Amino acid sequence: MKKLAAFVVLAVLAVGAGYWFATRIPASPFDSVGSATAPLPVERGEYAARLADCVACHSTEGGKAFTGGLAMGTPLGTIFSTNITPDRETGIGGYTLAQFDNAVRRGVAPDGRRLYPAMPHPSYAKMSDDDVRALYDYFLHHVPAVRQENRPTTIAWPLNMRWPLAFWNLAFADAGSYRPAPAHDEIWNRGAYLVQGPGHCGSCHTPRGLALQEVALDERDPRFLSGALLDGWYAPSLRNDHNTGLGRWSEEDVATFLKDGRNQHGVVFGSMMEAFNNSTQFMTDGDLAAIARYLKSLPGDAARDGAPWSYQAAAAPAPAGPMASGARIYAARCGFCHGSDGRGRNEWISPLAGASSVLALENASVINITLNGSGRVVAAGVPDAYRMPALRDQLSDGEIADVLTFIRGSWGNRAASVTAEEVRTLRELTNAASSDPIVLQMR
Amino acid sequence: MELTINGQTHQVDIEPDTPLLWVLRDELGMTGTKYGCGLAQCGACTVLVHGQATRSCVTPVETVAGAKIMTIEAIETDPVGQKVVEAWVAQQVPQCGYCQSGQVMAATALLKQSARPTDEEIAGAMVNLCRCGTYNAIAAAVREAAQA
Ligand code: FES
Ligand code: FES
């Protein structure tokens, strides 16, 4: 009896402690700061918001900026991004700086609810106090307040309880802002800060584990930024992989790509086009150079990457088979822009010879862009002159498979062939009218 | 930027990513080359760059600076081009004519590469669109030009 009583007391204590832990409001360095701080110049916070690309998720196409409502799939149901305009009832107008900080860097709402890690707070945790203060200032003082109710998630009870996320955070989010690595110079450290922190590059480019956590949050793990599949696109490696990463890019190439959306190696497309349109092109030259310095310091993995690519003129394809049919389709559909030699046209039209997205093991990106074309790249307010058209209505699954097999196997490219089945699957998933379209996944 | 078109050099001062088609039509007033889709889909804008059929609507002008460009205006100065035009007239190919300058350029490029093309090669190379459906006449004219 005594034993039982002791057990019950212990159990109650454990549950109590767990409950306290899972709903407690964490400490913020801003706890003692009142909300009545003088506004900063708009540029300061606006820049921080560009770095963190808040608008990407906290807006919908055609909706007002920062009013949220973007649907994201999770294995449990759909969640929606929230209104982060300073409206007092539906937005974050009532937040103190400390509450804002807890949401951004620790994933905790003012009432102690844990945010879904769709909010990339494991990355934002690394943001500096200054950047968080600037963001707060921007959202509270410079963004127009818009009344728009948040949409409830479609996740059913009991899975919609948020407290277990506190334990997810415990396991997968490492707390504390970025600490400069003394072994590296200031530029490298600035780059590391931008990539790991506000830029949250790993949200797309780092593979995810079983609990949907990014398997690595910094360069200490070779899987960091080693490429990942998401929403029907493959975000390639940003490490120095010769074929499938940034191995053949110079630091200047990386900075130019992020500034102009293009360089001689390729043009932004898919999700990166959005990141470029909304975020990277607004970064200062100094910050882009820092990002480039940091990324170029990440070693590649020759075992994963395969024999190094070098250009080879196309051999005459066999008279029959997918390579031959692919070559014919290429000449009629692709070669006019990408060149019969696969080399593209300077930085204006992507080369296919040696392009990392073409050489990647995952073929989602090449299939997706062939089916659906590329979106509009807008650099400095000017839309692009040349855009990949959607070929979904012009080419069959088999034809797309053949032409991609040809492209992935020509000019020194040595990537595996593509099957009609793979094309069919992605055709279904990227057709908004199908019964099973891709919903943007939590990331 | 210096362009060599139909044997003549032209100096143009223009954004490097401007499509060659706009330079031809708007800057240089050479309107024989037509604008159909602007998306590399139809072939109405076909010109020859170093003898290769090139869709000028998707060719950033910067990438053909210094190259030998030929347009429909000078096609009869080219021996192959002249044969093509003669066959075109003999077969009375054009209907409305809009796509035809592009078709003639594509046919010339084909015959430069392969003087006696098979029917399959003709089908593979003559992929420009024609709203008037002159495809059979086009194929016949290409065959005739190849015999000439
Ligand atoms: S206008 Fe150039 S291909 Fe149609
Ligand atoms: S003749 Fe009219 S479009 Fe070809």
Side-chain angles (χ1 to χ4, degrees), chain A residues 385-398:
Chain A
Y386 307 99
R387 197 165 325 146
M388 171 78 188
L391 297 174
R392 69 157 53 231
D393 296 329
Q394 303 178 22
L395 297 179
S396 69
D397 296 338

Side-chain angles (χ1 to χ4, degrees), chain B residues 21 34-45 55-57:
Chain B
L21 178 61
K34 301 301 182 205
Y35 168 45
C37 62
L39 289 167
Q41 306 279 294
C42 71
C45 65
R55 295 189 168 176
S56 60
C57 68

Side-chain angles (χ1 to χ4, degrees), chain B residues 93-100 103 128-135 138:
Chain B
V93 178
Q95 290 293 320
C96 80
Y98 198 79
C99 71
Q100 296 293 329
Q103 306 283 7
N128 289 4
L129 300 184
C130 172
R131 292 170 304 174
C132 303
T134 62
Y135 300 110
I138 288 172

